[in-house]
């Protein structure tokens, strides 16, 4: 039976992935992190409901549930974006530092296999994390106001975001010798994605207000906002009717304004976001695989020298 | 089985390996000797497809290492000079991982892992975590790992470094055993005597150039019994040198000045006692009679530098 299982998994799971998953799941940290995460999300949900339900009947308060869902989904987005670089920014530089890379590279596993396996194994933990919170959200469904398909749409965005962040982190991990630097650059990039784009969007908007051709600036601002997972998630949640002006908190309503003025809830923005993030992730992973091949640096150096000589 | 043709590698302006040529026949052990920084690791990395040469070619079992690296990787078992192991894996899982990575039949993996652990004397550690092994054990485990896919060629970069004397002897025995199984082994070391015992052929590399290449019998014949001595006297160094040069057991006078003479002596210990006695009787005031460590490589190199020896020793480099 076990042999049959091995043969089956052997087809789908390459040896490196099996080893990585085994190592990851074996270390106590993984289990600890998962439990801690579930506990935090669970506690937040219960406290929120407890506070809101007090003195009232426990029945349907769709607006409140939508609010809770939005809050939890942002908590999850933040957590996932924060944890991904920590896991992925050491996958190749760590092998270099531990001096296991050269042996790995002399096996028949190709650089592409190695890089994509590292990618899968680093996001697997986060995917597991996201999937494990699904039952928790079912409590939210119980109260009504949120549909399972809505949850899936938001989670889809988060999966694409974390995939791109993992791709970026693995890229730095392959390019830079030290995990320390790779981690720094990965977090810096995440900061640009989350805050940099928002700031640029805001700047373009402000310039647009005082400019003759406002629409060009508005368009640029729209592109920036559409590449920011924070606003994009707000876009989806607006589209799903989760986010509405009825949230009369200033941050939420200002985000809502941006979403509306740049039509981030539309399909185009959503597809634009998906295309760019998936493309960035895939391209960076391919470059990483190429970089693992012997002589890649020499080749770049030669090209640069030839180009400079021109 | 392994053929290297005009192999060169430059790091920027530094030439680490310069136009290397050698051949390793199937089923033989080739010892690659050179001091630190001579270019051993660079050469072996190129042969293991980890690095591209600046120029030249290298073939493993007829396959070129730069154009067919994928095929070459299946032919070789590679043990780097320094390597680490993964955390959170047991010794058995560690071997199984590399076995599956090479596409070894799942049914065969456990069996082979057990055999190899027996070979390297770690069978009682199969369930221990790899990162808890000592350095020497890791080195032996590394050798077992490089054999998991039963490759015809082994490339071992200083496999004995970090081992205690007993483990060095064991490692040597294992490698002899591998030769008996018909494996072709390329092994590097910075110590010639360590290799002389298990190799069929020895190549000496110095600053990236192969300066000598000979079968181990020739090396042994050249070097055996020859020792490097220093004699210090109060005076009359030149007369002493002249007397020594007439002795049949003194094969070469290396350095002479008023107070000291260095020479190569091919006699036994009894001959040595007799020589001292003779010198004392001859009226020399001996201050020291000392055997200089002088590396075997140095001695060997000097011996191969003799004109007649060169023709005999390096025919295949032409
Ligand atoms: N990645 C590198 N970049 C620049 N120079 C290098 C690099 N690797 C090796 N060298 C240089 O190339 C020369 C040969 O190094 P190599 O590691 O091949 O020597 P070695 O014979 O293996 O020495 P050791 O006995 O110390 O292991 C040395 O002078 C070294 O400084
Ligand atoms: Mg070396």
């Amino acid at each position: 039976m076990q042999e049959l299982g091995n043969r089956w998994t052997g087809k789908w799971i390459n040896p490196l992935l099996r080893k990585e998953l085994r190592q990851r799941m074996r270390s106590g940290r993984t289990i600890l992190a998962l439990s801690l995460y579930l506990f935090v999300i669970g506690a937040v949900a219960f406290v929120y409901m407890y506070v809101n339900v007090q003195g009232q009947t426990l029945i349907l308060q769709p607006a409140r549930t939508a609010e809770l869902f939005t809050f939890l989904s942002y908590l999850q987005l933040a957590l996932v974006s924060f944890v991904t670089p920590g896991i992925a920014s050491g996958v190749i530089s760590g092998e270099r530092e531990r001096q296991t890379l050269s042996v790995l590279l002399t096996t028949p596993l190709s650089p592409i296999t190695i890089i994509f396996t590292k990618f899968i194994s680093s996001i697997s933990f986060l995917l597991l994390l996201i999937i494990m919170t699904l039952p928790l959200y079912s409590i939210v469904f119980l109260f009504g106001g949120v549909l399972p398909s809505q949850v899936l749409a938001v989670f889809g965005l988060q999966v694409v975001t974390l995939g791109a962040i993992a791709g970026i982190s693995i890229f730095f991990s392959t390019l830079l010798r030290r995990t320390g630097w790779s981690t720094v650059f990965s977090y810096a990039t995440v900061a640009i994605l989350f805050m940099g784009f928002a700031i640029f969007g805001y700047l373009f908007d402000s310039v647009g207000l005082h400019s003759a051709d406002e629409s060009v600036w508005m368009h640029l601002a729209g592109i920036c906002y559409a590449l920011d997972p924070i606003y994009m998630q707000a876009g989806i949640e607006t589209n799903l009717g989760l986010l509405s002006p009825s949230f009369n908190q200033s941050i939420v309503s200002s985000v809502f304004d941006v979403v509306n003025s740049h039509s981030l809830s539309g399909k185009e923005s959503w597809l634009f976001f998906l295309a760019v993030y998936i493309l960035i992730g895939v391209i960076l992973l391919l470059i990483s695989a190429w970089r693992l091949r012997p002589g890649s640096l020499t080749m770049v150096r030669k090209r640069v020298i030839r180009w400079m000589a021109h | 089985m392994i053929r290297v043709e005009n192999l060169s590698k430059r790091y920027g302006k530094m030439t680490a390996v310069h136009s290397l040529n050698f051949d390793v026949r199937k089923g033989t052990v080739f010892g690659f000797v050179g001091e630190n920084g001579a270019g051993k690791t660079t050469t072996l990395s190129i042969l293991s497809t980890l690095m591209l040469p600046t120029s030249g070619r290298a073939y493993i079992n007829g396959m070129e290492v730069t154009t067919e690296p994928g095929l070459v990787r299946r032919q070789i078992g590679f043990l780097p000079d320094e390597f680490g192991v993964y955390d959170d894996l047991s010794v058995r899982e560690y071997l199984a991982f590399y076995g599956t990575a090479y596409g070894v039949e799942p049914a065969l993996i456990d069996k082979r892992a057990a055999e190899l652990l027996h070979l390297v004397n770690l069978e009682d550690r199969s369930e221990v975590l790899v990162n808890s092994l000592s350095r020497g054990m890791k080195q032996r485990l590394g050798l077992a790992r490089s054999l998991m896919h039963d490759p015809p060629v082994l490339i071992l970069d200083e496999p004995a470094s970090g081992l205690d004397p007993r483990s060095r002897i064991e490692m040597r025995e294992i490698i002899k055993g591998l030769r008996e199984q018909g494996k072709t082994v390329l092994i590097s070391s910075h110590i010639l005597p360590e290799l002389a015992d298990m190799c069929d052929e020895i190549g000496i590399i110095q600053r990236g150039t192969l300066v000598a290449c000979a079968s181990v019998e020739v090396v042994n014949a050249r070097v055996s019994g020859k020792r490097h001595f220093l004699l210090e006297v109060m005076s009359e160094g030149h007369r002493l040198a002249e007397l020594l040069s007439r002795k049949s057991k003194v094969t070469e006078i290396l350095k002479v000045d008023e107070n000291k003479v260095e020479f190569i002596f091919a006699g036994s210990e009894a001959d040595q006692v007799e020589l001292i006695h003779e010198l004392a009787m001859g009226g020399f005031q001996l201050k020291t009679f000392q055997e200089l460590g002088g590396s075997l490589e140095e001695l060997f190199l000097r011996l191969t530098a003799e004109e007649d020896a060169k023709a005999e020793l390096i025919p295949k480099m032409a």
Side-chain angles (χ1 to χ4, degrees), chain B residues 278-291:
Chain B
E278 251 177 76
L279 294 178
M281 298 308 286
F284 291 101
Q285 291 176 291
L286 300 181
K287 251 166 56 187
T288 44
F289 189 103
Q290 184 191 354
E291 179 169 352

Side-chain angles (χ1 to χ4, degrees), chain A residues 3 15-16 18-20 22-23 26-27 29 95 98-109 111 118 294-295 298, chain B residues 9 48-52 70 73-74 76 78 80 82-90 93 97-98 100-102 129 145:
Chain A
E3 197 170 299
L16 182 59
R18 192 177 324 167
K19 188 218 81 183
E20 295 271 318
R22 176 176 282 161
Q23 273 176 288
R26 182 167 292 169
S27 69
R29 273 177 323 198
E95 295 247 2
R98 236 181 290 131
Q99 298 182 307
T100 48
L101 187 62
S102 59
V103 172
L104 190 61
L105 290 176
T106 54
T107 65
L109 298 172
K118 290 287 187 182
T298 321
Chain B
K9 175 72 187 180
S48 319
T49 74
L50 286 175
M51 203 186 263
L52 296 182
R73 283 178 196 143
R74 290 178 185 278
I76 56 170
F78 175 56
E82 275 177 27
F83 66 94
V85 293
Y86 295 107
D87 302 335
D88 298 315
L89 280 188
S90 75
E93 287 165 341
F97 162 58
Y98 288 101
T100 44
Y102 278 98
L129 289 185
R145 188 225 78 226

Side-chain angles (χ1 to χ4, degrees), chain A:
Chain A
M1 192 60 210
Q2 198 196 340
E3 197 170 299
L4 196 72
N6 275 346
R7 192 167 309 157
W8 192 82
T9 52
K11 249 188 201 141
W12 298 100
I13 299 187
N14 73 41
L16 182 59
L17 184 57
R18 192 177 324 167
K19 188 218 81 183
E20 295 271 318
L21 294 180
R22 176 176 282 161
Q23 273 176 288
R24 236 179 248 296
M25 294 311 158
R26 182 167 292 169
S27 69
R29 273 177 323 198
T30 305
I31 309 295
L32 191 74
L34 280 176
S35 326
L36 201 71
Y37 180 67
L38 273 184
F39 178 77
V40 167
I41 293 269
V44 166
F46 277 107
V47 167
Y48 193 94
M49 279 190 269
Y50 183 76
V51 168
N52 281 298
V53 157
Q54 256 184 340
Q56 302 166 25
T57 44
L58 227 160
I59 336 166
L60 299 183
Q61 277 200 309
R64 284 269 171 248
T65 325
E67 204 175 303
L68 172 61
F69 175 80
T70 308
F71 181 69
L72 284 184
S73 66
Y74 272 100
L75 192 68
Q76 181 146 302
L77 179 66
L79 223 127
V80 154
S81 322
F82 197 73
V83 173
T84 311
I87 293 179
S89 66
V91 290
I92 299 295
S93 48
E95 295 247 2
R96 246 189 247 284
E97 284 165 344
R98 236 181 290 131
Q99 298 182 307
T100 48
L101 187 62
S102 59
V103 172
L104 190 61
L105 290 176
T106 54
T107 65
L109 298 172
S110 67
I112 292 246
T113 312
I114 292 172
I115 289 291
F116 277 87
T117 305
K118 290 287 187 182
F119 172 74
I120 303 281
S121 84
S122 28
I123 65 167
S124 64
F125 167 72
L126 292 147
L127 288 182
L128 190 64
L129 209 119
I130 291 182
I131 291 167
M132 277 175 64
T133 53
L134 277 175
L136 222 126
Y137 282 97
S138 63
I139 299 171
V140 183
F141 304 146
L142 276 182
F143 286 79
V146 182
L147 296 173
S149 62
Q150 299 177 324
V151 176
L152 288 181
V154 173
F155 281 16
L157 171 111
Q158 294 181 346
V159 169
V160 171
T161 306
L162 89 86
I165 295 176
I168 290 164
S169 307
I170 290 174
F171 171 74
F172 284 125
S173 185
T174 315
L175 209 65
L176 305 170
R177 294 209 161 258
R178 298 255 140 235
T179 301
W181 283 114
S182 161
T183 309
V184 168
F185 276 87
S186 305
Y187 276 114
T189 312
V190 171
I192 290 174
L193 294 183
F194 281 69
M195 295 185 297
F197 279 130
I199 292 171
F200 271 104
Y202 179 77
L203 286 180
F204 286 142
D205 261 347
S206 314
V207 173
L209 279 182
H210 309 286
S211 161
D213 38 16
E214 193 185 333
S215 69
V216 176
W217 293 106
M218 281 285 281
H219 197 72
L220 280 176
I223 290 176
C224 288
Y225 284 125
L227 290 176
D228 190 322
I230 297 175
Y231 284 96
M232 214 46 238
Q233 182 164 312
I236 299 175
E237 286 172 359
T238 307
N239 183 305
L240 300 173
L242 293 176
L243 203 63
S244 65
S246 71
F247 291 172
N248 50 4
Q249 286 144 352
S250 62
I251 295 182
V252 176
S253 58
S254 81
V255 169
F256 186 73
D257 280 348
V258 168
V259 167
N260 271 343
S261 59
H262 294 285
S263 55
L264 294 181
S265 58
K267 224 185 199 115
E268 292 83 35
S269 304
W270 173 227
L271 288 178
F272 177 66
F273 177 89
L274 282 188
V276 171
Y277 270 57
I278 291 177
L279 213 64
I280 286 179
V282 170
I283 288 175
L284 290 182
L285 288 178
L286 288 177
I287 294 177
S288 306
W290 174 80
R291 174 66 190 83
L292 274 191
R293 289 176 37 184
S296 55
L297 261 195
T298 321
M299 211 167 114
V300 172
R301 210 171 290 140
K302 270 189 195 150
R303 287 257 163 91
V304 170
I305 290 172
R306 205 175 305 153
W307 182 76
M308 302 251 277
H310 257 298

